[in-house]
Amino acid sequence: AQSVTQPDIHITVSEGASLELRCNYSYGATPYLFWYVQSPGQGLQLLLKYFSGDTLVQGIKGFEAEFKRSQSSFNLRKPSVHWSDAAEYFCAADLGQNFVFGPGTRLSVLP
Amino acid sequence: DGGITQSPKYLFRKEGQNVTLSCEQNLNHDAMYWYRQDPGQGLRLIYYSQIVNDFQKGDIAEGYSVSREKKESFPLTVTSAQKNPTAFYLCASRGDRSPYEQYFGPGTRLTVT
């Protein structure tokens, strides 16, 4: 079945620490892939996207993501987390007929 | 600035009343979507529309209705048949060029008592 999974429901990191949020997809081909961020009570904002070419993509707010075809993954990373990064993060994929979101990972940041 | 607007930000209704949530976009996108989000939950697709005068049910369409009479507008009506209408509702549109990301409005929080 076509799906997007985010194995971590909630992650807590200290401010200044590095961050990696995991995302895996299930699809017969390489989909278009996206990461969105949602602050409480707000809409979703696009952080970055991948559709072809360089497998390491840069986004806004200092985020980057790496596409790994062999692992069907598109993990989001940030080298140094800021308190303002605390939010919900959604991985999403355009799987042809369907645009599918993962369940989300909530990020908490400790001072 | 191009974008998606949803109004109002907060909406309160009594049980048994229908309520319509507004969604307008000036991005000239053909496709538009409505999602429901409950606390700690991901996004669940209610309805989507690929083009004017056409729309399709999503995963949780029961108790909801939509119309798409204009390209820029995709209102959602939460009917009294929706058993648990209290939620955060998000409207989105989708770009017409690859890689077709979705653009989101700020959302409407509906509370039904």
Side-chain angles (χ1 to χ4, degrees), chain B residues 5 8 15-17 20 25 27-28 33 38-39 48 55 58 64 67 73 77 85 88 90 93 106 109-110 112:
Chain B
T5 57
E15 194 172 327
Q17 294 179 335
T20 297
Q25 55 103 353
L27 299 168
N28 201 35
Y33 304 79
D38 294 286
Y48 65 98
F55 47 82
Y64 299 97
S67 63
S73 179
T77 296
F88 189 54
L90 286 161
S93 70
R109 181 164 301 281
L110 173 64
V112 177

Side-chain angles (χ1 to χ4, degrees), chain B residues 46-67:
Chain B
I46 304 172
Y47 268 99
Y48 65 98
S49 169
Q50 303 278 40
I51 200 167
V52 173
N53 292 322
D54 184 61
F55 47 82
Q56 306 294 329
K57 293 181 179 179
D59 301 320
I60 56 163
E62 185 175 349
Y64 299 97
S65 66
V66 294
S67 63

Side-chain angles (χ1 to χ4, degrees), chain A residues 32 34 36 38 41-44 46 49 51 90 94 99 101 103, chain B residues 9 35 37 42-43 88 90 94 98-102 104-106:
Chain A
Y32 299 139
F34 311 87
Y36 288 85
Q38 183 184 32
Q42 303 296 318
L44 276 68
L46 182 68
K49 57 193 175 188
F51 56 102
F90 293 95
D94 183 340
F99 197 99
F101 287 88
Chain B
K9 179 71 172 172
Y35 294 93
Q37 190 176 31
L43 282 73
F88 189 54
L90 286 161
R94 179 167 157 168
S98 171
Y100 310 112
E101 65 261 38
Q102 292 196 4
F104 283 83

Side-chain angles (χ1 to χ4, degrees), chain A residues 45-62:
Chain A
Q45 180 183 22
L46 182 68
L47 284 175
L48 46 77
K49 57 193 175 188
Y50 170 80
F51 56 102
S52 67
D54 194 343
T55 56
L56 185 63
V57 295
Q58 302 297 320
I60 62 172
K61 303 177 187 274

